[in-house]
Amino acid sequence: MRTSLVVLALAGALALSTAATPALAQTRTDVKVGLVLEPPSLDPTAEAAAAVDEVVYANVFEGLTRFAPDGSIVPGLAHSWEISEDGLTYTFHLREGVTFHDGTTMDAEDVKFSLERIGAEGSLNAQKALYAAIASVEAVDPLTVRITLSKPDGNLVYNLAWGDAVIVAPESAAANGTNPIGTGPFTFKQRRPGDSIELARNPNYWGTPAALESATFRYIADPTAALAALQAGDVDTFPNFPAPETVGVFESDPRFRVVVGTTQGETILAMNNGKPPLDNIKVREAIAHAIDRQAVIDGAMFGFGVPIGTFWPPTHPDYVDLTSLSKYDPERSKALLAEAGVSNPKLTLHLPPAPYARRGGEIIAEQLRAVGIDVQVINVEWAQWLSPEVFRPAPCPGAVGEGDKPPAYDGSCPASFSYDLTIVSHTEPNDIGIFARDDYYFNYHSDAFKQVIADLAVTADPAKRSELLKAAQTQLANDFVAGFLFELPKVGVENAKLMGMWENAPTQATDLTAVHWAQ
């Protein structure tokens, strides 16, 4: 009887102990990411919007090479490569066992297809000029690709890391805008237009599997709503938080971590250099001197951001501080307009949805009005901005669209653009060469600048490359090609237990490959 009582007592104590011990908290395997801008499609090879890469780069799609978190270039789908002594032949060795999300094999033929597609007739690739030196692509065997160039290009391995050069399959490429099929650690699950995009872990990934089982990207453009979503736990991280004025709320809350890093985003007041009166350098200089950069940074970015005087990141060792060439001087602006014979010019200012553009645009519009420039602010959505209304050239006379698609610029006539001014941050790395493009929306044409960029492409010596980069920056500043404003900061807020998010942004991406939750 005594023994039975002891047993019963022990059993009761065990039951009480078990009931009093909370279940071990399971580590989360999902993440909810807040982003400001919804991508127009999910195909990075056919869209210029940075919002596309913010979702799919390194998550869904991969290239031969890729950007590491520190900005260095590391192997991607190619594990190694060799470059010939004359710099004209690149041989890439592909990883074995790589498959696309639909189960088809990724091999050299897919690489050949993807790279040839960039420069093919009718290509919508926004960065196809970066790959213009590719003369041929040969699938030597299933795991070996040989790229032959028409001229040396010291940036090729770097450029192949861009989202514009990810590897896609001919069987699925046409539908990647709505149903992206890549080789990455996450597969596309579903999209709710205007709300969210969901990804799921790829169970057949060739590399280290993702720690996360799922990821949801939620689109919240309103700064107040972004603040509320973080506080309520509706999102776990906002890598580019749209309300920098409120980060103090999160700095004092132990549930969150504020991460302030750098980007490659030169934020500029772009000008249509080929359209009167902006084809007059004195008018462009007048606009540049009318802008108080610090007032823009304080008003639009609440003090976050570094002033720039040219199109190159201040964190780069080859950056030249040329801000003094376009220092704030409204009286100088008025004098330059008088010298140009331009009185009360009327200009449009197209502003995309990004908060830095909308807030900064209103400030700059007032600064320009103060020197006698009549500015009409036009707020546009990204689809409008990316159309011939701003970014793309107008179709040539007689151009006919395919099916129900409107006609597009085909290069059979000189590129023309209708906008006057716009504000945008160019977040692509090492992209100063875009000013050498005849069909780019800056509408800037300089044989001298084109020569500098051409020389840079075939120069390998670091010291000479540095000289050329500095020369390019200086010419852009001296030509007042744009109003150079500030380098876009990366101000992020995240759950304090979330690990592995990028601190800096060497390219536009929300790379989730190493993201996980702490215990």
Coordinates of all heavy atoms in Angstrom, one line a residue, residues 266-338:
E266 N 22.8 55.9 -57.1 CA 23.0 57.3 -57.3 C 21.6 58.0 -57.6 O 21.0 57.7 -58.6 CB 23.9 57.6 -58.5 CG 25.3 57.3 -58.2 CD 25.6 55.8 -58.3 OE1 25.2 55.2 -59.2 OE2 26.3 55.3 -57.3
T267 N 21.1 58.8 -56.7 CA 19.8 59.4 -56.8 C 20.0 60.8 -57.5 O 20.8 61.6 -57.1 CB 19.2 59.7 -55.4 OG1 19.2 58.4 -54.7 CG2 17.8 60.2 -55.6
I268 N 19.3 60.9 -58.6 CA 19.6 62.1 -59.5 C 18.3 62.8 -59.9 O 17.2 62.1 -60.0 CB 20.4 61.7 -60.7 CG1 19.6 60.7 -61.6 CG2 21.7 61.1 -60.4 CD1 20.2 60.4 -63.0
L269 N 18.4 64.0 -60.3 CA 17.4 64.7 -61.0 C 17.8 64.6 -62.5 O 18.6 65.3 -63.0 CB 17.3 66.2 -60.7 CG 16.3 67.0 -61.5 CD1 14.9 66.7 -61.2 CD2 16.5 68.5 -61.3
A270 N 17.2 63.6 -63.2 CA 17.6 63.3 -64.6 C 17.0 64.4 -65.5 O 15.9 64.9 -65.2 CB 17.1 61.9 -65.0
M271 N 17.7 64.7 -66.5 CA 17.3 65.8 -67.4 C 17.3 65.2 -68.8 O 18.2 64.4 -69.2 CB 18.2 67.0 -67.4 CG 18.4 67.6 -66.0 SD 19.4 69.1 -66.1 CE 20.0 69.2 -64.4
N272 N 16.4 65.6 -69.6 CA 16.3 65.2 -71.1 C 17.3 66.2 -71.8 O 16.9 67.3 -72.3 CB 14.9 65.4 -71.6 CG 14.7 64.8 -73.0 OD1 15.7 64.6 -73.7 ND2 13.5 64.6 -73.4
N273 N 18.5 65.8 -71.9 CA 19.6 66.6 -72.5 C 19.3 67.0 -73.9 O 20.0 68.0 -74.4 CB 20.9 65.9 -72.4 CG 21.5 66.0 -71.0 OD1 22.6 66.6 -70.8 ND2 20.8 65.4 -70.0
G274 N 18.5 66.3 -74.7 CA 18.3 66.6 -76.1 C 17.1 67.5 -76.3 O 16.8 67.8 -77.5
K275 N 16.3 67.9 -75.3 CA 15.1 68.6 -75.5 C 15.2 70.1 -75.0 O 15.6 70.3 -73.9 CB 13.9 67.9 -74.7 CG 12.6 68.6 -74.9 CD 11.5 67.9 -74.1 CE 10.2 68.6 -74.2 NZ 9.2 67.9 -73.3
P276 N 14.9 71.0 -75.9 CA 15.0 72.4 -75.5 C 14.1 72.7 -74.3 O 13.0 72.1 -74.2 CB 14.5 73.2 -76.7 CG 14.8 72.3 -77.9 CD 14.5 70.9 -77.3
P277 N 14.5 73.6 -73.3 CA 15.7 74.3 -73.3 C 16.9 73.5 -72.6 O 17.9 74.1 -72.4 CB 15.4 75.5 -72.5 CG 14.4 75.0 -71.5 CD 13.6 74.0 -72.2
L278 N 16.6 72.2 -72.3 CA 17.6 71.5 -71.5 C 18.8 71.0 -72.4 O 19.8 70.5 -71.9 CB 17.0 70.2 -70.9 CG 15.9 70.6 -69.9 CD1 15.1 69.3 -69.5 CD2 16.5 71.2 -68.6
D279 N 18.7 71.3 -73.7 CA 19.9 71.0 -74.6 C 20.9 72.1 -74.4 O 22.0 72.0 -75.0 CB 19.4 70.9 -76.0 CG 18.7 72.1 -76.5 OD1 18.3 72.9 -75.7 OD2 18.5 72.2 -77.8
N280 N 20.6 73.2 -73.7 CA 21.5 74.3 -73.4 C 22.2 74.0 -72.1 O 21.6 73.9 -71.0 CB 20.7 75.6 -73.4 CG 21.7 76.8 -73.3 OD1 22.7 76.8 -72.6 ND2 21.2 77.9 -73.9
I281 N 23.5 73.9 -72.1 CA 24.3 73.5 -70.9 C 24.1 74.6 -69.8 O 24.1 74.3 -68.6 CB 25.8 73.3 -71.2 CG1 26.5 72.7 -69.9 CG2 26.4 74.5 -71.7 CD1 27.9 72.3 -70.2
K282 N 23.9 75.8 -70.2 CA 23.7 76.9 -69.2 C 22.4 76.7 -68.4 O 22.3 77.0 -67.2 CB 23.7 78.2 -69.8 CG 25.1 78.6 -70.3 CD 25.2 80.1 -70.8 CE 26.6 80.4 -71.3 NZ 26.7 81.8 -71.8
V283 N 21.4 76.2 -69.1 CA 20.1 75.9 -68.4 C 20.3 74.7 -67.4 O 19.8 74.8 -66.3 CB 19.0 75.6 -69.4 CG1 17.7 75.2 -68.7 CG2 18.7 76.8 -70.3
R284 N 21.0 73.7 -67.9 CA 21.2 72.6 -67.0 C 22.0 73.0 -65.8 O 21.8 72.5 -64.6 CB 21.9 71.4 -67.7 CG 21.1 70.9 -68.9 CD 21.6 69.5 -69.4 NE 23.0 69.5 -69.8 CZ 23.5 69.7 -71.0 NH1 22.6 70.0 -72.0 NH2 24.7 69.6 -71.2
E285 N 23.0 73.8 -66.0 CA 23.9 74.3 -64.9 C 23.0 75.2 -63.9 O 23.2 75.1 -62.7 CB 25.1 75.1 -65.4 CG 26.0 75.5 -64.3 CD 27.2 76.3 -64.8 OE1 27.4 76.4 -66.0 OE2 28.0 76.8 -63.9
A286 N 22.1 76.0 -64.5 CA 21.3 76.8 -63.7 C 20.4 75.9 -62.8 O 20.2 76.2 -61.6 CB 20.4 77.7 -64.5
I287 N 19.9 74.8 -63.3 CA 19.1 73.9 -62.5 C 19.9 73.3 -61.4 O 19.5 73.2 -60.2 CB 18.5 72.8 -63.4 CG1 17.4 73.4 -64.3 CG2 17.9 71.6 -62.6 CD1 16.9 72.4 -65.4
A288 N 21.2 72.9 -61.7 CA 22.0 72.3 -60.7 C 22.3 73.2 -59.6 O 22.3 72.8 -58.4 CB 23.3 71.8 -61.4
H289 N 22.6 74.5 -59.9 CA 22.9 75.4 -58.8 C 21.6 75.9 -58.0 O 21.8 76.4 -56.9 CB 23.5 76.7 -59.4 CG 25.0 76.5 -59.8 ND1 26.0 76.2 -58.9 CD2 25.6 76.6 -61.0 CE1 27.1 76.1 -59.5 NE2 26.9 76.3 -60.8
A290 N 20.5 75.6 -58.5 CA 19.2 75.9 -57.8 C 18.9 74.9 -56.7 O 18.0 75.1 -55.9 CB 18.1 76.0 -58.8
I291 N 19.6 73.7 -56.8 CA 19.2 72.6 -55.8 C 20.1 72.7 -54.6 O 21.3 72.7 -54.6 CB 19.4 71.3 -56.5 CG1 18.5 71.2 -57.7 CG2 19.2 70.1 -55.6 CD1 18.7 70.0 -58.6
D292 N 19.4 72.7 -53.4 CA 20.1 72.6 -52.1 C 20.1 71.2 -51.7 O 19.0 70.7 -51.2 CB 19.4 73.5 -51.1 CG 20.0 73.5 -49.7 OD1 20.9 72.6 -49.5 OD2 19.7 74.4 -48.9
R293 N 21.2 70.5 -52.0 CA 21.2 69.0 -51.8 C 20.8 68.7 -50.3 O 20.1 67.7 -50.1 CB 22.6 68.4 -52.1 CG 23.0 68.4 -53.6 CD 24.3 67.7 -53.7 NE 24.8 67.7 -55.0 CZ 25.6 68.6 -55.5 NH1 26.0 69.6 -54.7 NH2 26.0 68.5 -56.8
Q294 N 21.4 69.4 -49.4 CA 21.2 69.0 -48.0 C 19.8 69.2 -47.6 O 19.2 68.4 -46.8 CB 22.1 69.9 -47.1 CG 22.3 69.3 -45.7 CD 22.8 67.9 -45.6 OE1 23.8 67.5 -46.2 NE2 22.0 67.0 -44.9
A295 N 19.1 70.2 -48.1 CA 17.7 70.4 -47.9 C 16.9 69.2 -48.4 O 15.9 68.8 -47.8 CB 17.2 71.7 -48.5
V296 N 17.3 68.7 -49.6 CA 16.6 67.6 -50.1 C 16.8 66.3 -49.3 O 15.9 65.6 -49.0 CB 17.1 67.3 -51.6 CG1 16.5 66.0 -52.1 CG2 16.8 68.5 -52.5
I297 N 18.1 66.1 -48.8 CA 18.4 65.0 -48.0 C 17.6 65.1 -46.6 O 17.1 64.1 -46.2 CB 19.9 64.9 -47.7 CG1 20.6 64.5 -49.0 CG2 20.2 63.9 -46.7 CD1 22.1 64.6 -49.0
D298 N 17.6 66.3 -46.1 CA 16.9 66.4 -44.8 C 15.4 66.3 -44.9 O 14.8 65.7 -44.1 CB 17.3 67.8 -44.2 CG 18.7 67.9 -43.7 OD1 19.4 66.9 -43.6 OD2 19.2 69.1 -43.6
G299 N 14.9 66.8 -46.0 CA 13.4 66.8 -46.2 C 12.9 65.5 -46.7 O 11.8 65.1 -46.3
A300 N 13.6 64.9 -47.6 CA 13.1 63.7 -48.3 C 13.6 62.4 -47.6 O 12.9 61.4 -47.6 CB 13.6 63.6 -49.7
M301 N 14.8 62.5 -47.0 CA 15.4 61.3 -46.4 C 15.7 61.4 -44.9 O 16.3 60.6 -44.3 CB 16.7 61.0 -47.1 CG 16.6 60.7 -48.6 SD 15.5 59.3 -48.9 CE 16.3 58.0 -48.1
F302 N 15.2 62.6 -44.3 CA 15.3 62.8 -42.9 C 16.8 62.7 -42.4 O 17.0 62.1 -41.3 CB 14.4 62.0 -42.1 CG 12.9 62.2 -42.6 CD1 12.4 61.4 -43.6 CD2 12.2 63.2 -42.0 CE1 11.1 61.6 -44.0 CE2 10.9 63.4 -42.5 CZ 10.3 62.7 -43.5
G303 N 17.7 63.2 -43.2 CA 19.1 63.2 -42.9 C 19.9 62.1 -43.3 O 21.2 62.1 -43.2
F304 N 19.3 61.0 -43.8 CA 20.0 59.8 -44.3 C 20.4 60.1 -45.7 O 19.5 60.4 -46.6 CB 19.2 58.6 -44.1 CG 18.9 58.1 -42.7 CD1 17.7 58.5 -42.1 CD2 19.8 57.4 -42.0 CE1 17.4 58.1 -40.8 CE2 19.6 57.1 -40.7 CZ 18.4 57.4 -40.1
G305 N 21.7 59.9 -46.1 CA 22.1 60.0 -47.4 C 23.3 60.9 -47.5 O 23.5 61.8 -46.7
V306 N 24.2 60.6 -48.5 CA 25.4 61.3 -48.7 C 25.4 62.1 -50.0 O 25.0 61.6 -51.0 CB 26.6 60.4 -48.7 CG1 27.9 61.1 -49.0 CG2 26.7 59.5 -47.5
P307 N 25.6 63.5 -49.9 CA 25.6 64.3 -51.2 C 26.6 63.8 -52.2 O 27.7 63.3 -51.9 CB 26.0 65.7 -50.7 CG 25.7 65.7 -49.2 CD 26.0 64.3 -48.8
I308 N 26.2 63.8 -53.5 CA 27.1 63.4 -54.6 C 27.1 64.5 -55.6 O 26.1 65.3 -55.8 CB 26.7 62.1 -55.2 CG1 25.2 62.2 -55.8 CG2 26.8 60.9 -54.3 CD1 24.8 61.0 -56.6
G309 N 28.2 64.6 -56.3 CA 28.4 65.6 -57.4 C 28.6 65.0 -58.7 O 28.9 65.7 -59.7
T310 N 28.5 63.7 -58.8 CA 28.6 63.0 -60.0 C 28.0 61.6 -59.9 O 27.4 61.3 -58.9 CB 30.1 62.8 -60.4 OG1 30.2 62.3 -61.8 CG2 30.9 62.0 -59.5
F311 N 28.1 60.8 -60.9 CA 27.4 59.5 -60.9 C 28.3 58.3 -60.5 O 28.7 57.5 -61.3 CB 26.9 59.3 -62.4 CG 25.7 58.2 -62.4 CD1 24.4 58.6 -62.1 CD2 26.0 57.0 -62.9 CE1 23.4 57.7 -62.2 CE2 25.0 56.0 -63.0 CZ 23.7 56.4 -62.6
W312 N 28.7 58.3 -59.3 CA 29.5 57.3 -58.7 C 29.4 57.2 -57.2 O 29.3 58.3 -56.6 CB 31.0 57.5 -59.1 CG 31.9 56.3 -59.1 CD1 32.9 56.1 -58.2 CD2 31.9 55.2 -59.9 NE1 33.5 54.9 -58.5 CE2 32.9 54.3 -59.5 CE3 31.1 54.8 -61.0 CZ2 33.1 53.1 -60.2 CZ3 31.3 53.6 -61.6 CH2 32.3 52.7 -61.2
P313 N 29.4 56.0 -56.6 CA 29.2 56.0 -55.2 C 30.4 56.5 -54.4 O 31.5 56.2 -54.6 CB 29.0 54.4 -54.9 CG 29.7 53.8 -56.1 CD 29.5 54.7 -57.2
P314 N 30.1 57.3 -53.3 CA 31.1 57.9 -52.5 C 32.0 56.8 -51.8 O 33.1 57.1 -51.3 CB 30.4 58.8 -51.5 CG 29.1 59.1 -52.2 CD 28.8 57.8 -53.0
T315 N 31.4 55.6 -51.6 CA 32.1 54.6 -50.9 C 33.2 53.9 -51.7 O 34.1 53.2 -51.2 CB 31.2 53.5 -50.4 OG1 30.4 53.0 -51.6 CG2 30.2 54.0 -49.4
H316 N 33.2 54.2 -53.0 CA 34.2 53.6 -54.0 C 35.5 54.4 -53.9 O 35.5 55.6 -53.9 CB 33.6 53.6 -55.4 CG 34.3 52.7 -56.3 ND1 35.6 53.0 -56.9 CD2 34.0 51.5 -56.8 CE1 36.0 52.0 -57.6 NE2 35.0 51.1 -57.6
P317 N 36.6 53.7 -53.9 CA 37.9 54.4 -53.8 C 38.2 55.3 -55.0 O 39.0 56.2 -54.9 CB 38.9 53.2 -53.8 CG 38.2 52.0 -54.3 CD 36.8 52.2 -53.9
D318 N 37.5 55.1 -56.1 CA 37.8 56.0 -57.3 C 36.8 57.2 -57.3 O 36.8 57.9 -58.3 CB 37.7 55.2 -58.6 CG 38.8 54.2 -58.7 OD1 39.9 54.5 -58.3 OD2 38.6 53.1 -59.2
Y319 N 36.0 57.3 -56.3 CA 35.0 58.4 -56.3 C 35.7 59.8 -56.3 O 36.7 60.0 -55.5 CB 34.1 58.3 -55.1 CG 33.1 59.5 -55.0 CD1 32.1 59.7 -55.8 CD2 33.3 60.4 -53.9 CE1 31.2 60.8 -55.7 CE2 32.5 61.5 -53.8 CZ 31.4 61.7 -54.6 OH 30.5 62.7 -54.5
V320 N 35.2 60.8 -57.0 CA 35.8 62.1 -57.0 C 34.7 63.0 -56.5 O 33.6 63.0 -57.0 CB 36.2 62.6 -58.4 CG1 36.8 64.0 -58.4 CG2 37.1 61.6 -59.1
D321 N 35.0 63.8 -55.4 CA 34.0 64.7 -54.8 C 33.9 66.0 -55.7 O 34.8 66.8 -55.6 CB 34.4 65.0 -53.4 CG 33.4 65.9 -52.7 OD1 32.4 66.3 -53.4 OD2 33.5 66.2 -51.5
L322 N 32.9 66.1 -56.5 CA 32.7 67.2 -57.4 C 31.5 68.0 -57.0 O 31.0 68.8 -57.9 CB 32.6 66.7 -58.8 CG 33.8 65.9 -59.4 CD1 33.4 65.1 -60.6 CD2 34.9 66.9 -59.6
T323 N 31.1 67.9 -55.8 CA 29.9 68.6 -55.4 C 30.0 70.1 -55.5 O 29.0 70.9 -55.7 CB 29.5 68.3 -53.9 OG1 30.6 68.4 -53.1 CG2 29.0 66.8 -53.8
S324 N 31.3 70.6 -55.4 CA 31.5 72.1 -55.4 C 31.2 72.7 -56.8 O 30.9 73.8 -56.9 CB 32.9 72.4 -55.1 OG 33.8 71.8 -56.0
L325 N 31.2 71.8 -57.9 CA 30.9 72.3 -59.2 C 29.5 72.7 -59.4 O 29.1 73.6 -60.2 CB 31.3 71.3 -60.2 CG 32.7 70.9 -60.5 CD1 32.9 69.8 -61.5 CD2 33.5 72.2 -61.0
S326 N 28.6 72.1 -58.5 CA 27.2 72.4 -58.6 C 26.6 72.8 -57.3 O 25.5 72.4 -56.9 CB 26.4 71.2 -59.2 OG 26.8 70.0 -58.5
K327 N 27.4 73.6 -56.5 CA 27.0 74.0 -55.2 C 25.7 74.8 -55.3 O 25.5 75.5 -56.3 CB 28.1 74.7 -54.4 CG 28.5 76.0 -55.1 CD 29.7 76.6 -54.3 CE 30.1 77.9 -54.9 NZ 31.2 78.6 -54.2
Y328 N 25.0 74.9 -54.2 CA 23.8 75.6 -54.1 C 24.1 77.1 -54.2 O 24.8 77.7 -53.4 CB 23.1 75.3 -52.8 CG 21.8 76.1 -52.6 CD1 20.8 76.1 -53.5 CD2 21.6 76.8 -51.4 CE1 19.6 76.8 -53.3 CE2 20.4 77.5 -51.1 CZ 19.4 77.5 -52.1 OH 18.2 78.2 -51.9
D329 N 23.5 77.7 -55.3 CA 23.8 79.2 -55.5 C 22.7 79.7 -56.4 O 22.8 79.8 -57.6 CB 25.1 79.3 -56.2 CG 25.6 80.8 -56.3 OD1 24.7 81.7 -56.1 OD2 26.7 81.1 -56.6
P330 N 21.5 80.0 -55.8 CA 20.4 80.5 -56.6 C 20.6 81.7 -57.4 O 20.0 81.9 -58.5 CB 19.3 80.7 -55.6 CG 20.0 80.7 -54.2 CD 21.2 79.9 -54.4
E331 N 21.4 82.6 -56.9 CA 21.7 83.8 -57.7 C 22.5 83.5 -59.0 O 22.3 84.0 -60.1 CB 22.5 84.8 -56.9 CG 21.7 85.4 -55.7 CD 20.4 86.0 -56.2 OE1 20.4 86.8 -57.2 OE2 19.4 85.7 -55.5
R332 N 23.4 82.5 -58.9 CA 24.1 82.0 -60.0 C 23.1 81.4 -61.0 O 23.3 81.5 -62.2 CB 25.2 81.0 -59.6 CG 25.9 80.3 -60.7 CD 26.8 81.2 -61.5 NE 27.6 80.6 -62.5 CZ 28.0 81.1 -63.6 NH1 27.7 82.4 -63.9 NH2 28.7 80.4 -64.5
S333 N 22.1 80.7 -60.5 CA 21.1 80.1 -61.4 C 20.4 81.1 -62.2 O 20.2 81.0 -63.4 CB 20.1 79.3 -60.5 OG 20.7 78.2 -59.9
K334 N 20.0 82.2 -61.5 CA 19.3 83.2 -62.2 C 20.1 83.9 -63.3 O 19.7 84.2 -64.4 CB 18.8 84.3 -61.2 CG 17.8 83.8 -60.2 CD 17.5 84.8 -59.2 CE 16.5 84.3 -58.1 NZ 16.3 85.3 -57.0
A335 N 21.4 84.1 -63.0 CA 22.3 84.7 -63.9 C 22.5 83.8 -65.2 O 22.6 84.3 -66.3 CB 23.7 85.0 -63.3
L336 N 22.7 82.5 -64.9 CA 22.9 81.6 -66.0 C 21.6 81.5 -67.0 O 21.8 81.4 -68.2 CB 23.1 80.2 -65.5 CG 24.6 80.0 -64.9 CD1 24.6 78.7 -64.0 CD2 25.6 79.8 -66.1
L337 N 20.4 81.6 -66.4 CA 19.2 81.6 -67.2 C 19.2 82.8 -68.1 O 18.8 82.8 -69.3 CB 18.0 81.5 -66.3 CG 17.7 80.2 -65.6 CD1 16.6 80.3 -64.7 CD2 17.4 79.1 -66.7
A338 N 19.6 83.9 -67.5 CA 19.7 85.2 -68.3 C 20.7 85.1 -69.4 O 20.4 85.5 -70.5 CB 20.0 86.4 -67.3

